[in-house]
Amino acid sequence: MMHQQGSLMPSLLSGVFCQCRSGDTHPGVDPGGGHSEDPPSTSIADPPQPGGWDRPSETGQSTHQCDTCGGPEQEHRLKVLFQVLDVNRDGGICLNDLTIGLKKLGVHRTEHELRKIVKAGDKDLDGQLDFEEFVHYLRDHEKKLRLVFKSLDKKNDGRIDSQEIMQSLRDLGVNISEEQSEKILRSMDKNGTMTINWNEWRDYHLLHPADNIPEIILYWKHSTIFDVGESVLVPDEFTAEEKKTGMLWRHLVAGGGAGAVSRTCTAPLDRLKVLMQVHSSKSNSMRITGGFLQMIREGGVRSLWRGNGINVIKIAPESAIKFMAYEQIKRLMGSNNETLGIAERLVAGSLAGAFAQSSIYPMEVLKTRLALRKTGQYSGIVHCAKHIFQKEGATAFYKGYVPNMLGIIPYAGIDLAVYETLKNYWLQHYATDSADPGVFVLLACGTTSSTCGQLSSYPLALVRTRMQAQATQEGGPQMTMRTLFRHIIKTEGPFGLYRGLAPNFMKVIPSVSISYVVYEYLKVQLGVQSK
C-alpha cells in the first residue's frame, strides 16, 4: 500500500522546518543541539534545558539558537535536498528530476502523485519548481501535515497508534479493520514502536502530495458539487482549515453557480416532469415527445424554461440557510469533532434541510405555479405571488408542505447511505495511495446515490406538486395529502405515484455532469484550493 523510505530521506528532511517560538523545544531535537533517535512526545511543551539551545547572549538576552528552524543550518538542509532532487542541475525541479531524485532517496511515488507535487508548488506555471517555490511548497505542506497530525492524535500525547487511525476514519464514516490500520502504521513507523511520532509522520508525508485523512473530506464533496434540482441532500463536511480561511464560502458560491447553470440547462426536462406529475393520468397519457411539442405549441421554445428563474434564485438563500443551520445543530448536539458520524450527519442534515425548506417553501410553490402557467397568465414572479395572495391567501404558499417535509428523511437518508457505502467500498478496495477517487468514480457515486434518493421519495414529491398546483385547476377538489394518495392509488394504481419519473431520471446524469464541470471551473476562478 505504501513504501518504506530509505534512510537518506529522513536525515535530509529531519528538522527542515518547524514553527517554534523562542523558549520552545521540538520533537526530535535534543536539548543539547542534536536530533534524538526517539524523541519524547511532549517535547514541544517542555521548557528549555540548562545549557541547551536557548542560551543567554553576552548582553544577558536570550538568543534563539534552534538548529531545527533557524539560521544557516536550515538553509543548508534545504539547499542539499534541493540539489539532490535537481538531477540535471538547471536550477529547477521538474517531473523527471523529482522521479529520479526521490528514487535515489529511496522514496517511491506514482507519476500522478509527482505531478500533483509539481502542480501544487509551481506558482509561475513554468512546469518546474525553483528553489523559492520548493521552499514555499514544503512550508505550506508541513503546516497542513501538522494540522492532520493533531487531528489524528486523539490522546494528545504526540503519537498516533492504530486505534487512533481507526477512530479518525470511523468519525468520517469509513470503517477499516485493525489489521488494515496496522498496515498503514507500519508503512510510516521507522523505529518499530507501532506508533508514529511527528518526525516519522512528517518525513513520510512531506514529499507526498496529500495522503491524509482530511483529504477524504476534500475529495468526496457531494451535496456542494452535485445539483440535481433538489436541495435536500445532507450538507458536506468542511475541514477546520477551510472554515478558518473562508474557503468554505467559496465552495458554496461555486456550488451555487454550478447549480444555477445545471438547473438552467435541464429546465425543459424539469418543467416536463411537473406537467406530467400534475396533468398526466390514465385518461390523459402524456409522453415525453408529446409533452415537449405541447409546450412549444402553447408558448414557443422559451416556454420550456418557465419556472426556472425562481428555481435558480432560491439556490442562494436555501444553501446559506441550510449550511448555517447545520453548523448550529452540530453545536447543539454537543459534537466537538470536526466531522460527524453518518447517523449524526443524517439527523443534523435532515433538520437543517427541514429548516431551510421551511424558510424558502413559498418559492417552491411559486416555481410550480410558474412552471404550470399558460401564456399571458402571469407577467412575472411578483405578479404571480400577488395573484396567489389575493385569490387564495397566505396559506396557499405552504400547500404541500407536509409531504415535502416527510420526503426529506427518505431522500437524504438513502442518498447519504448509498453514497457512503460506495465511498467506503472504493476507499477499502481501490484507494492504495490517495483518497482521490477521480472524476468518473465521483460522478458515478453521486449519480447513483441521488437516483436512489429520488426514487425513494418520489411519491411524496408528486403529491406535494399536485397539492401546490390544486388552485390552478378551476373547479377541482382541494384534497389533503392522505386523500390525494388514496385518490391516485384508486384511479391510477401505484404507477400513478411515479408520473414524470422518466424525465426526472433523464436529467440526473446531465445535471450531475454539468454541475461538476462548472463547479470545478468556478473553483479555479474563485481561487479555491482543495489541496
Side-chain angles (χ1 to χ4, degrees), residues 300-315:
V301 175
R302 288 186 62 186
S303 68
L304 296 175
W305 278 266
R306 283 180 185 168
N308 181 60
I310 190 74
N311 197 32
V312 169
I313 291 170
K314 70 185 180 71
I315 292 175

Side-chain angles (χ1 to χ4, degrees), residues 28-36 51-53 55 65-68 73 77:
V29 178
D30 180 75
H35 288 267
S36 62
W53 52 266
R55 303 180 182 88
Q65 298 287 340
C66 177
D67 289 336
T68 299
E73 180 68 18
R77 290 180 189 277

